[in-house]
Amino acid sequence: MTYEELAKLSVEAKKIALPPYSNFHVGAALLTKGGKVYLGGNIETSSYSLTICAERTAVFKAISEGEREFKAVAIASDSPDFCPPCGSCRQVLFDLCGNIDVVLINHKGEIKVLKMSELLPYAFSDIDLKK
Ligand code: THU
């Protein structure tokens, strides 16, 4: 699977988002090292702060299906520009997926590839819990 293909799947994943309050759709497509893709959309509730982002939906779906090794995550949104993951998602992605590639796609279909370590430098992780 190319990163262009993965990015197109993240655009498709916007359709499974449920953002009735912000009306801002985000889609994520998480690629495992084994080549499987898990899709996620953002899900909002009437208690706004309980919202979950598209990226975390995809990560938790994959982890709860037993996946542990990941290659990349693609992210698409309703913004015409690239949509970078929020701070909470950066921590979750780095902790549970490692230093994967992050593939962003804008409305022109252009893609930008970043490393998680660029998005979350000097990250807190399980290493810091070891005494
Ligand atoms: N959102 C995501 O799904 N991922 C991000 O990285 C940024 C924000 C969602 C959360 C909320 O449902 C909506 O976008 C507006 O913030």
Side-chain angles (χ1 to χ4, degrees), residues 20-120:
Y21 304 103
S22 72
N23 200 31
F24 186 75
H25 299 72
V26 183
L30 179 64
L31 178 63
T32 69
K33 280 197 179 158
K36 267 189 92 172
V37 176
Y38 290 82
L39 301 180
N42 54 324
I43 303 169
E44 298 177 352
T45 74
S46 61
S47 183
Y48 301 159
S49 64
L50 301 181
T51 289
I52 184 162
C53 293
E55 298 90 321
R56 275 177 287 154
T57 305
V59 171
F60 294 145
K61 277 173 72 175
I63 293 286
S64 64
E65 292 299 322
E67 301 289 352
R68 292 294 182 270
E69 295 201 317
F70 301 94
K71 190 167 176 352
V73 64
I75 304 162
S77 82
D78 282 345
S79 163
D81 292 325
F82 298 113
C83 178
C86 78
S88 299
C89 288
R90 290 179 197 208
Q91 182 67 41
V92 169
L93 283 163
F94 198 80
D95 255 337
L96 298 179
C97 304
N99 193 19
I100 59 172
D101 292 325
V102 179
V103 182
L104 308 178
I105 181 166
N106 65 14
H107 279 196
K108 287 184 188 159
E110 296 162 334
I111 68 167
K112 185 196 286 259
V113 183
L114 299 154
K115 278 270 171 202
M116 267 313 302
S117 56
E118 292 176 77
L119 290 169
L120 194 65

Side-chain angles (χ1 to χ4, degrees), residues 9-26:
L9 289 177
S10 72
V11 176
E12 282 299 300
K14 280 170 55 182
K15 293 182 189 155
I16 55 170
L18 187 66
Y21 304 103
S22 72
N23 200 31
F24 186 75
H25 299 72
V26 183

